[in-house]
Amino acid sequence: NVSVINTETNAVIATVDVGTAPFGVTFDPAKNRIYIANVRSHDVSVIDGASLKVITPFKVRAWPYGIAITKDGERIFVTNQHDDSVSVIDGNNFANIATLTAGEYPEGIMVHPDGRRVYVASWFSNEVTVIDVDSLKTLATIPVGDGPRAFGIFIEDAANGE
């Protein structure tokens, strides 16, 4: 389950039942939803931010880890660690749009602030894959140092000061 904490009082205000072994958590402000990657049930739970009730879970590939969402909430990208892939999900009906190949053990994922690219850090293959949001094509595979995992904000938009 997932605990919701009031940051003013540091009190748990809700506990939400989700899939097995919840790990990655992402908030979508455009649609007021919380997404939870459930590693062992191979799905993502979608929680309504107002009611704190599960809207639906949707299936992805083996061991979902990280979640990234476009600013408009229209596309959801989920790294599948044991499948070496990224699931692309429709943010309205939660249908699978595509499954993209990533490096070995993809974990961290982030949509660039300009909304045009997704960056995927693959832990075992020591690379970052760059994916075009619209075409879903791989634009680049960048070799990096040993064991990139990259959680949180790890892409900067220097042109816009973000």
Side-chain angles (χ1 to χ4, degrees):
N1 58 36
V2 173
S3 296
V4 180
I5 299 170
N6 178 317
T7 58
E8 296 294 320
T9 64
N10 294 326
V12 174
I13 58 172
T15 300
V16 182
D17 287 328
V18 294
T20 307
F23 184 81
V25 179
T26 300
F27 178 66
D28 174 10
K31 295 187 184 270
N32 194 23
R33 293 179 181 158
I34 304 159
Y35 294 87
I36 311 293
N38 302 305
V39 174
R40 291 202 180 130
S41 53
H42 313 295
D43 60 13
V44 173
S45 297
V46 183
I47 301 170
D48 177 76
S51 69
L52 300 179
K53 304 288 184 202
V54 173
I55 297 168
T56 188
F58 59 82
K59 283 290 187 190
V60 289
R61 299 286 182 102
W63 287 64
Y65 234 67
I67 304 168
I69 304 165
T70 55
K71 284 184 182 180
D72 60 7
E74 296 298 309
R75 286 200 172 168
I76 304 162
F77 296 84
V78 182
T79 56
N80 301 302
Q81 188 190 55
H82 287 197
D83 190 59
D84 300 338
S85 69
V86 174
S87 293
V88 184
I89 307 296
D90 184 296
N92 295 307
N93 62 16
F94 309 113
N96 185 48
I97 296 170
T99 302
L100 311 175
T101 301
E104 190 177 1
Y105 269 58
E107 290 192 354
I109 188 165
M110 183 179 171
V111 176
H112 190 279
D114 70 11
R116 297 184 319 208
R117 297 172 307 281
V118 175
Y119 292 79
V120 180
S122 295
W123 182 22
F124 282 17
S125 55
N126 302 319
E127 63 192 23
V128 172
T129 304
V130 184
I131 300 167
D132 182 270
V133 168
D134 293 326
S135 71
L136 301 180
K137 303 274 189 228
T138 297
L139 300 174
T141 301
I142 306 164
V144 296
D146 189 34
R149 299 186 89 177
F151 293 99
I153 297 172
F154 63 96
I155 302 298
E156 182 177 324
D157 186 359
N160 294 318
E162 293 180 18

